[in-house]
């Protein structure tokens, strides 16, 4: 129903309480993205990598649910960037 609304540009999708995080619902994410909608989801660090590897990452807004120290956040961003934007420096 929501995916049929032309003016709606994106979906913020979160599974129900007690369910796996959104990265564990690839069929739902695929359906949202193939409908042409952007997709905001909540994932842990491993889930961010999973979504980018399985779906290409384009069109997703990934909110990391883990509390990260500055060094953990930096390490994550560097690892993510190096895998998915190889050859370019982090801006």
């Amino acid at each position: 129903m929501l995916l049929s609304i032309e003016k709606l540009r994106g979906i913020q999708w979160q599974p129900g309480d007690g369910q796996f995080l959104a990265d564990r619902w690839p069929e739902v994410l695929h359906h949202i993205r193939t409908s042409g909608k952007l997709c905001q989801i909540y994932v842990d660090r491993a889930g961010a990598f999973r979504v980018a590897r399985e779906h290409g990452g384009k069109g997703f807004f990934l909110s990391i649910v883990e509390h990260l120290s500055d060094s953990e956040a930096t390490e994550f961003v560097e690892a993510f960037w190096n895998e998915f934007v190889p050859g370019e420096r982090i801006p």
Side-chain angles (χ1 to χ4, degrees), residues 45-46 48-54 56 75-88 90:
R45 288 174 281 184
F49 278 95
R50 188 174 298 108
V51 168
R53 288 175 183 143
E54 292 178 8
E75 183 179 299
F76 167 72
V77 169
E78 288 174 350
F80 196 87
W81 189 270
N82 289 335
E83 182 167 338
F84 300 107
V85 192
E88 289 190 37
I90 297 173

Side-chain angles (χ1 to χ4, degrees), residues 4-33:
S4 66
I5 301 171
E6 275 188 48
K7 290 189 176 192
L8 185 66
R9 294 188 59 216
I11 301 288
Q12 178 188 22
W13 187 74
Q14 184 170 341
D17 206 20
Q19 301 295 318
F20 289 114
L21 291 172
D23 62 286
R24 299 299 182 133
W25 297 79
E27 65 285 350
V28 174
L29 301 180
H30 177 77
H31 192 61
I32 292 169
R33 288 298 297 134

